[in-house]
Amino acid sequence: MAVFTMASLAATVAPNLLWLDVARVVQGAGAAAIMVDGILLPSDRYTGEERNLAIGAWGSFATAAALLAPTLGGVLADAFGWRAVFAVNPPLRVAAWVLAARVLSRSPVAPGAGRPDWLGGLLLVLGLGMATLLMLRPDDARGSGQDTAVLCTACLTPAVFPAVQLRVPVPTLELRMFRPAHVLRRDAGRLPLPRPDHRRLGPPGAVLLRRPRREPDRGRAPAS
């Protein structure tokens, strides 16, 4: 959140287009970190049914913000200029920071937690960025030296990324998720799953989880 806030301030006072582009890149990185961590905060704060409600509320507000932000941004730009689009972010982020400090508790670091996979994240961003640059390059740049360098980087990065992910303790992308389906089902069957408490589920949930029982036929003559 601090990265996004500082980048918004830099974009607000940008003296030229290059400054604005750099601030927007940093702002995008901060926004990506907020989106990734946003879903983890209610998961760590709440448990059980409250966690489901919190995650659902987070998803609803995120969808509403994505739908309303372009309209509100256009209104601000028409009324106060393009700088107002970025100037509105810091006060909102400061308010969110104060609220989070009062509501959310600090999560303890797990004893076996490893360091973030900075190299894997860098390779992932580099590969996706080079692939995007290839798709957006002009026609007159095809076959040039720069185009060849971008193409080689976009091809080599996906080859190096899996090797890095298999060697780090906390990978950016868990490659074991892409194992065959029968292996995943076998491993899932070994997980100790808690038995559902029918008293907390209420009558509808208890009916859905109850094992079906065949009722005996009464008063029905056997078929000849």
Side-chain angles (χ1 to χ4, degrees):
M1 192 179 296
V3 174
F4 184 87
T5 303
M6 298 304 297
S8 298
L9 287 174
T12 303
V13 298
N16 50 53
L17 185 59
L18 178 60
W19 183 290
L20 180 62
D21 289 339
V22 174
R24 288 288 291 152
V25 170
V26 178
Q27 188 184 39
I34 292 175
M35 291 299 295
V36 172
D37 294 337
I39 193 64
L40 300 178
L41 294 178
S43 301
D44 183 67
R45 171 69 178 177
Y46 302 100
T47 58
E49 187 64 24
E50 292 183 349
R51 176 184 296 175
N52 298 334
L53 294 176
I55 294 177
W58 178 88
S60 300
F61 281 112
T63 304
L67 294 175
L68 296 177
T71 303
L72 296 179
V75 172
L76 290 175
D78 289 340
F80 306 101
W82 63 267
R83 297 182 187 271
V85 178
F86 304 102
V88 73
N89 289 323
L92 295 177
R93 298 303 170 183
V94 171
W97 194 299
V98 174
L99 182 62
R102 296 185 58 181
V103 175
L104 299 177
S105 58
R106 186 177 182 86
S107 301
V109 179
R115 296 182 178 180
D117 182 20
W118 296 109
L119 180 57
L122 178 61
L123 289 174
L124 184 62
V125 172
L126 183 62
L128 295 177
M130 293 297 102
T132 304
L133 187 60
L134 281 176
M135 292 185 291
L136 298 179
R137 71 187 188 279
D139 294 336
D140 55 356
R142 299 179 185 272
S144 61
Q146 181 181 359
D147 185 68
T148 303
V150 172
L151 178 61
C152 293
T153 305
C155 294
L156 291 177
T157 304
V160 178
F161 179 75
V164 174
Q165 297 307 286
L166 294 175
R167 302 176 69 90
V168 295
V170 185
T172 301
L173 180 62
E174 184 57 71
L175 298 180
R176 289 179 296 179
M177 295 188 302
F178 300 96
R179 290 182 295 178
H182 68 279
V183 177
L184 296 177
R185 287 194 297 266
R186 182 197 62 190
D187 294 343
R190 297 175 181 176
L191 297 177
L193 299 178
R195 298 184 61 182
D197 190 353
H198 297 76
R199 294 173 298 179
R200 296 186 59 184
L201 293 176
V207 170
L208 291 175
L209 292 178
R210 186 177 59 185
R211 181 175 298 178
R213 181 179 60 183
R214 184 176 181 181
E215 296 292 340
D217 295 334
R218 298 179 180 178
R220 181 178 298 177
S224 58

